[in-house]
C-alpha cells in the first residue's frame, strides 16, 4: 500500500463535504468535525458513487465491509460497480432504475463480491443527489452487511419447514407453560386444532394415568438440566389415551433466562402395541394361550428364587397325553388342536390361579405348583387333574377319552434349577407312561440311569428288525376242565446281542414312541401266523394262536390292510387267529373302535380284550363291542385264594361275559388254588405259569404235543 493511498481520512471527509452543493470552506468548522466523526466512525458503510459506477468517497466501515484495507484502496480497485461488485450485474440496473424513478432506494438487498472473492449479503439505502438543473450528480447511501441475518432467516425458514412437516407433534410453551405454537403433526395426532391449544395452558397428559408429582418432576428436571425425555400417556381430543415419547427442552433468551420450552410428542402407541404383541407371541403358546416353554422357564426360575427365600417347596408336574398322536393322525390336526385347547382349559380349571400352567409343545404341558407342603399335596393335585380327565372330551361332536401321564419333581429335593426340575419331572412322566396302573409318578434318582439306558435301547431298537433280533415265545392256554393245551399266546422278545433276552415291557413303549411299533407288530403277526400254520402242518392240534396289538397299531389306519395281507400270505384260517387288544386302545374313540373291530371281525378273526378290568372302560359299552373273548387281568387272579372280594369280581366278570356271549380266559394263574376257584366259577380257559411259562416255538411244540397232565 503506498503512502499516498494512506491519506488521512480527514482529508477524505473534507473533500467529500467539498463536493457537496455548499461552497467549500477551508477552515474546518465544529459542525464539519462532527460530521467527519460520524462519517469516520459510522458502523454502516457510507458512500458516494457516480451514476456510472465509480466510487467517489467511502468511509472506513464500507471498506471493511467490502474487505479492502482502506477507503482509498476500495476507491482505487473497485471501479466498476456493476461488473465488479454485484454477483448479479443486473442488480446495478435495478438500482439505477429505482434511483431514476424514485430518487431513492430503500432496503436494496444484493449479494456482492468482497475484495477476496467471498460473497456476502448487503442491504443499501441510498438517494440521488441532483444538481440545480435536476441532473443527477451522484448517488450517496449506506451499506449494511446482512449476511448473518440472511443466514438466520434461511435457518428460520428451514426450521419452520421442519416444524410444519415433521411427524412428531411439537408444542412451544412460554415460561408460564402457556402454549404459544403447535405444529400440524400435533393436531393430527391429537385431533386438537391449533386454536384449541394456543394461548391456553399446557394440558397434554391423559387424566388418571400419572401420579400428581409427574409433571412437577418433569419441569424440575427441565429447569435443572435444560431437557427431559421420557414416556407418558397423553390424551387425544376425544379423551382416549395414547402412549408417547415426550421430550422437553428449554430455549433461553439473550440474558440466559428461560423463555420457552419446546415439547415434542411422538405417538408410540402403535409401536407399543406391536411390542406387546411380539412379546406375547414370544412368551405364549399360540394355540392354547398358555405360557410357552420360554416363559415357563422364566416363571419357574422366579418361583425357585421365591421358594429359596421363603424356604418353601415347589412341585413341577410334567404332563404328556396318552395316545395324542393317534387322535391327531386319526381325526386330523384340527381335532388335535381342539383337544389341546380343551386340555389347557381343564388344566387351568383344576389348578389354582397362583399355579403356573404352560404348554411345552406338542402334547406336553407343565404345571408349577407353589404352596405345596410335601409330596402328598402334589400327588393330590395330580389326582385332581387325572380326575378332571376322566370325563370324555367332546371333539368335533365325538366323545374322546384322553388321559395324561404325569411325572412330578420337587424343589429343592429333585433339583434347584428350572432345567433340572423339568428334566426330572419328564423322567418321572416317562416312568408313569410305562406303568399301566399308576398315572402319576414322583421322580426318583434311579430314573436317571434308566433314562440313559433308554436312549441306548432306542438306538439299538432301530436296528433290531433288520438284524432279525426279535423272537416269538408262546405261552399255552389250557382248558380249565382238562388242563389240556388248546391255544397259544405269542409274546415277543428281543434277543439283544449284549443285554440278552429283553422282555416286551422294556421296549414296546419305546417302539410306540419312536414309530417302530407298526413294523415290529407286523413282523410279530406274520411270524405267529406262519408258526401256527407250520405247527398245524406238522400235526400239532392246537386251535388258535393269539397276537397282542398295541393301541398304536389298533388306531393305525393301515391295520386292516396289514391283517388282510398276512392272512393271505400265510394262508392261516382266520378263525384260528385271535387279536388281543387292551381297553385303552378302544376307549380313545369308542365309535371308531367299534367300526375297526367290526371290520376285523368281518375278516373272520377272533377278538379279545386283554387285561380286562384294569382300564377305565365301563362294562356298559362292553356289549356294543363285537368281541369274542375277555381276558381277566392277572391282578384279579393273584389274590383269588385269599381275597373274597377278588373272587366276587372274577365271578361277576365271568357271569357278565357269559350273559353277553363272550368266552373268558383268566391270566396269570400260578397256583392250583387259583385254578380250582376259576374252574368252579366256570372260567373255560386258563393261562399262567402254573401251566407253562412262555417258551420258544420248539419248546412249545414239544410241550403241546404231550398229553395233558391229569
Ligand atoms: P399280556 O398280553 O397280558 O401278556 C401276558 C404277560 O403276563 C406276559 O408277559 C406273560 O409272560 C406274563 N405272564 C403269563 N403268565 C403269568 C403268570 O402266571 N404270572 C406272572 N407274573 N406273569 C405271567 P410278557 O411276555 O412280559 O409280556 C408283557 C406284555 O407285553 C403283554 O401282556 C403284552 O401286553 C405285551 N406284549 C407282549 N408281546 C407283544 C407283542 O408282540 N406286541 C405287543 N403289542 N405287545 C406285546
Ligand atoms: Mg396278551
Ligand atoms: Mg394280559
Amino acid at each position: 500500500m503506498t503512502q499516498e493511498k494512506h491519506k488521512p481520512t480527514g482529508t477524505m471527509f473534507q473533500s467529500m463535504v467539498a463536493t457537496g452543493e455548499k461552497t467549500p470552506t477551508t477552515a474546518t468548522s465544529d459542525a464539519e468535525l462532527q460530521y467527519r466523526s460520524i462519517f469516520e466512525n459510522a458502523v454502516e458503510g457510507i458512500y458516494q458513487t457516480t451514476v456510472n459506477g465509480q466510487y467517489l468517497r467511502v468511509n472506513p466501515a464500507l471498506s471493511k465491509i467490502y474487505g479492502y484495507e482502506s477507503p482509498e484502496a476500495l476507491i482505487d480497485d473497485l471501479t466498476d460497480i456493476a461488473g465488479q461488485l454485484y454477483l448479479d450485474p443486473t442488480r446495478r440496473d435495478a438500482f439505477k432504475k429505482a434511483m431514476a424513478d424514485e430518487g431513492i432506494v430503500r432496503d436494496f438487498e444484493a449479494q456482492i463480491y468482497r475484495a477476496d472473492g467471498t460473497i456476502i449479503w448487503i442491504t443499501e439505502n441510498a438517494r440521488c443527489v441532483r444538481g440545480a438543473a435536476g441532473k443527477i450528480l451522484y448517488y450517496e447511501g449506506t451499506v449494511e452487511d446482512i449476511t448473518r441475518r440472511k443466514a438466520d432467516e434461511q435457518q428460520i425458514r428451514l426450521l419452520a419447514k421442519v416444524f410444519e412437516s415433521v411427524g412428531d407433534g411439537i408444542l412451544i410453551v412460554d415460561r408460564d407453560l402457556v402454549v404459544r405454537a403447535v405444529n400440524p403433526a400435533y393436531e393430527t395426532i391429537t385431533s386438537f386444532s391449533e386454536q384449541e391449544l394456543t394461548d391456553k395452558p399446557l394440558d397434554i397428559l391423559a387424566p388418571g394415568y400419572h401420579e400428581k408429582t409427574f409433571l412437577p418432576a418433569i419441569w424440575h428436571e427441565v429447569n435443572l438440566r435444560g431437557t427431559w425425555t421420557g414416556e407418558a400417556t397423553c390424551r387425544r381430543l376425544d379423551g382416549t389415551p395414547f402412549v408417547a415419547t415426550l421430550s422437553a427442552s428449554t430455549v433461553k433468551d439473550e440474558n440466559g433466562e428461560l423463555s420457552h420450552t419446546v415439547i415434542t410428542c411422538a405417538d408410540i402407541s402403535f409401536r407399543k402395541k406391536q411390542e406387546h404383541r411380539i412379546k406375547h407371541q414370544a412368551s405364549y403358546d399360540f394355540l392354547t394361550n398358555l405360557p410357552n416353554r420360554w416363559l415357563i422357564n422364566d416363571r419357574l426360575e422366579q418361583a425357585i428364587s421365591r421358594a429359596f427365600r421363603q424356604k418353601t417347596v415347589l412341585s413341577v408336574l410334567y404332563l404328556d397325553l396318552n395316545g395324542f398322536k393317534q387322535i391327531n393322525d386319526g381325526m386330523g390336526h384340527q381335532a388335535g388342536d381342539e383337544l389341546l385347547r380343551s386340555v389347557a382349559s381343564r388344566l387351568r380349571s383344576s389348578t389354582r390361579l397362583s399355579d403356573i400352567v404352560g404348554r411345552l409343545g406338542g402334547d406336553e404341558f407343565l404345571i408349577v405348583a407353589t404352596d405345596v407342603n410335601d409330596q402328598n399335596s402334589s400327588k393330590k393335585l395330580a389326582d385332581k387333574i387325572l380326575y378332571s380327565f376322566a370325563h370324555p372330551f367332546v371333539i368335533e361332536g365325538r366323545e374322546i377319552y384322553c388321559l395324561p401321564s404325569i411325572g412330578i419333581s420337587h424343589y429343592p429335593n429333585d433339583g434347584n434349577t428350572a432345567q433340572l426340575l423339568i428334566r426330572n419331572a419328564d423322567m418321572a412322566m416317562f416312568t408313569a407312561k410305562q406303568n399301566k396302573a399308576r398315572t402319576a409318578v414322583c421322580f426318583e434318582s434311579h430314573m436317571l440311569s434308566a433314562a440313559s439306558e433308554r436312549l441306548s435301547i432306542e438306538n439299538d431298537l432301530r436296528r433290531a428288525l433288520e438284524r432279525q433280533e426279535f423272537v416269538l415265545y408262546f405261552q399255552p392256554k389250557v382248558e380249565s376242565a382238562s388242563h389240556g393245551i388248546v391255544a397259544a399266546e405269542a409274546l415277543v422278545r428281543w434277543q439283544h446281542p449284549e443285554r440278552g433276552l429283553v422282555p416286551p415291557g422294556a421296549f414296546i413303549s419305546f417302539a410306540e414312541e419312536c414309530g417302530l411299533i407298526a413294523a415290529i407288530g407286523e413282523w410279530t403277526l406274520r411270524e405267529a401266523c406262519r408258526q401256527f400254520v407250520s405247527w398245524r402242518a406238522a400235526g400239532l392240534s392246537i386251535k388258535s394262536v393269539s397276537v397282542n396289538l398295541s393301541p398304536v397299531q389298533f388306531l393305525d389306519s393301515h391295520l386292516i390292510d396289514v391283517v388282510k395281507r398276512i392272512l393271505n400270505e400265510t394262508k392261516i384260517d382266520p378263525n384260528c387267529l385271535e387279536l388281543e387288544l387292551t381297553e385303552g386302545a378302544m376307549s380313545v374313540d369308542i365309535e371308531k373302535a367299534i367300526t375297526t373291530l367290526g371290520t376285523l371281525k368281518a375278516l373272520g378273526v377272533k377278538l379279545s380284550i386283554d387285561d380286562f378290568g384294569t382300564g377305565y372302560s365301563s362294562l356298559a359299552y362292553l356289549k356294543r363291542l363285537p368281541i369274542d373273548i375277555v381276558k381277566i387281568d392277572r391282578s384279579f387272579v393273584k389274590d383269588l385264594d385269599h381275597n373274597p372280594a377278588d373272587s366276587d369280581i372274577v365271578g361277576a366278570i365271568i357271569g357278565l361275559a357269559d350273559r353277553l356271549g363272550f368266552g373268558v380266559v383268566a391270566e396269570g394263574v400260578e397256583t392250583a388254588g387259583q385254578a380250582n376257584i376259576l374252574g368252579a366259577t366256570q372260567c373255560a380257559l386258563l393261562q399262567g405259569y402254573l401251566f407253562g411259562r412262555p417258551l420258544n416255538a420248539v419248546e412249545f411244540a414239544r410241550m403241546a404235543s404231550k398229553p395233558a397232565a391229569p
Side-chain angles (χ1 to χ4, degrees), residues 525 558-568 572-577 579 595-607:
L525 188 62
H558 299 103
L559 176 72
I560 307 288
D561 289 340
V562 170
V563 175
K564 266 192 213 165
R565 192 166 355 110
I566 289 171
L567 291 176
N568 273 335
I572 188 174
D573 176 355
N575 268 301
C576 299
L577 175 64
L579 300 177
T595 315
T596 310
L597 291 174
T599 318
L600 285 171
K601 216 164 151 56
L603 297 177
V605 300
K606 296 235 153 47
L607 303 169

Side-chain angles (χ1 to χ4, degrees), residues 436 489 548 580 610-611 631 633-634 667:
K436 279 185 200 161
E489 175 174 3
N548 295 282
E580 298 192 6
D610 205 350
D611 305 343
K631 293 188 78 179
D633 190 65
R634 189 167 79 222
E667 291 186 271

Side-chain angles (χ1 to χ4, degrees), residues 395-408:
I395 305 296
E396 294 180 345
R398 285 158 74 175
E399 290 197 342
I400 303 289
Y401 284 88
C402 184
L403 280 174
S405 297
I406 304 179
I408 308 171

Side-chain angles (χ1 to χ4, degrees), residues 6 172 197 231 244 354 362 373 375 411 482 530 537 556 653 656:
H6 260 292
I172 298 174
L197 295 163
E231 266 177 30
S354 58
N373 305 325
Q375 298 219 342
Y411 169 85
S482 64
R530 196 199 55 75
D556 186 343
I653 295 174
L656 182 85

